[in-house]
Amino acid sequence: ARQLAAVGVPELEVGIPAMGAEERDSIRAVAALDLAPRLMVWSRMHPDDIAACADLGAHLVDISVPASDQHLAYKLKQDRAWLLRELPRYIGAALSLGLEVGVGCEDASRADLDFLCALAETAERAGARRLRFADTLGVLDPFGVHDAIAALRRVTDLDIEMHAHDDLGLATANTLAAARAGATHLNTTVNGLGERAGNAPLEEVVLGLRQCLRMETGIDLRNFPSLSAVVAEASGRPVAWQKSVVGEGVFTHEAGIHVDGLLKHPDNYQGFDPQLVGRRHRIVLGKHSGTGAVQRVLDGLGCPVDADTARHVLERVRDFVAATKRTPSDTELLTMAEEQRYGHV
């Protein structure tokens, strides 16, 4: 929570009070930090769940409701009319606790759009402040998300929050589409944690808003690598080598044509400056490298070599990679260069 606040995240969803006393204590502990972000808790549409949200230091409760006919019929054995009739009572109960209210439309991506609009109108009349559009199964594409959010935007003045899952690998794209269509709030998780394939990653969404939509969030990702590492360790879910923004390999260059172009001008092979996310370019040597890269890397290691030596070192690097299926370490590279330079091979 401290690190999220430090990078400028404006709101944190911090727990489910109905889970029990330990969960409520953890929510109070975050609230006691007195951080800048507003705090949200999550609740089912159940009187005991909502009552459990009292006196925790939270500002907002998201009351989750089944929005699709599938969930209404097969989870609660109810219909649309029942939900529209019952919802205002629960919104009122949360408001009476001094909480702002968001209505979380679970499985909204499979719900009838006219019914979603009716839900929004009902929630707004009852005093809710926000509507959460949840692509619970991650089944939408960005075009469908844009159409749905735009339709909701036309009929309600509520804040609209997008909650995307990554089952089809589209969570970030769908979240950006929602922002383009008028969503005011975007659910994200560090490193894309979440159910099944996960949710939209904070780092991808913030960067995508800036680079693709020219939307500034006020979130500074320069210290994000340390936050990512803390979350990876705490969750026991390591970051993949090629995970966008935070993966170890994201700013790593091996191919000769890429390295040559990067050395001539960084913008030849960078879509954004890695310093924006606290990273820097890294050149590694492998079977696709060129002699210029060999010279650049060895020069950085304090062992400058001429072009002829670099060519011979490159031959050894390629043999090494073929045999070991990995790139050589700095120590191994220095050994190759020294042996080549002083005729020990």
Side-chain angles (χ1 to χ4, degrees), residues 253-271:
H253 306 268
E254 177 193 338
I257 191 170
H258 281 222
V259 172
D260 179 69
L262 188 71
L263 295 178
K264 288 175 178 174
H265 195 292
D267 285 349
N268 285 333
Y269 283 99
Q270 70 175 21

Side-chain angles (χ1 to χ4, degrees), residues 142-312:
F143 306 99
V145 170
H146 189 281
D147 289 347
I149 299 299
L152 287 167
R153 184 75 289 158
R154 287 192 292 268
V155 301
T156 183
D157 292 325
L158 289 173
D159 291 341
I160 298 176
E161 180 180 299
M162 181 64 198
H163 180 89
H165 281 265
D166 205 35
D167 297 74
L168 297 179
L170 294 171
T172 296
N174 287 343
T175 302
L176 297 181
R180 186 184 286 273
T184 56
H185 293 72
L186 307 172
N187 284 175
T188 65
T189 60
V190 174
N191 298 342
L193 292 182
E195 287 286 313
R196 303 183 314 278
N199 293 100
L202 168 66
E203 60 277 14
E204 294 180 13
V205 170
V206 170
L207 196 59
L209 289 170
R210 184 184 190 278
Q211 298 299 116
C212 300
L213 303 186
R214 300 295 182 261
M215 291 183 181
E216 293 292 345
T217 61
I219 295 173
D220 185 346
L221 293 177
R222 286 176 294 180
N223 291 322
F224 192 84
S226 62
L227 171 57
S228 170
V230 165
V231 171
E233 181 178 0
S235 63
R237 299 181 187 180
V239 175
W241 194 82
Q242 288 185 307
K243 165 69 179 70
S244 60
V245 184
V246 291
E248 184 181 344
V250 175
F251 300 103
T252 300
H253 306 268
E254 177 193 338
I257 191 170
H258 281 222
V259 172
D260 179 69
L262 188 71
L263 295 178
K264 288 175 178 174
H265 195 292
D267 285 349
N268 285 333
Y269 283 99
Q270 70 175 21
F272 61 92
D273 189 336
Q275 291 184 27
L276 286 172
V277 292
R279 305 290 300 279
R280 61 183 179 84
H281 291 295
R282 174 172 169 254
I283 297 172
V284 297
L285 300 181
K287 65 180 182 179
H288 301 112
S289 298
T291 56
V294 173
Q295 289 180 289
R296 177 63 174 262
V297 170
L298 287 173
D299 188 59
L301 295 174
C303 181
V305 297
D306 59 29
D308 186 60
T309 302
R311 179 173 57 80
H312 286 95

Side-chain angles (χ1 to χ4, degrees), residues 45 66 72 76 78-87 90:
M45 196 177 77
L72 277 166
L76 298 187
Q78 298 290 353
D79 59 16
R80 299 178 186 182
W82 172 86
L83 181 55
L84 294 175
R85 183 174 63 251
E86 293 294 313
L87 181 58
Y90 294 97

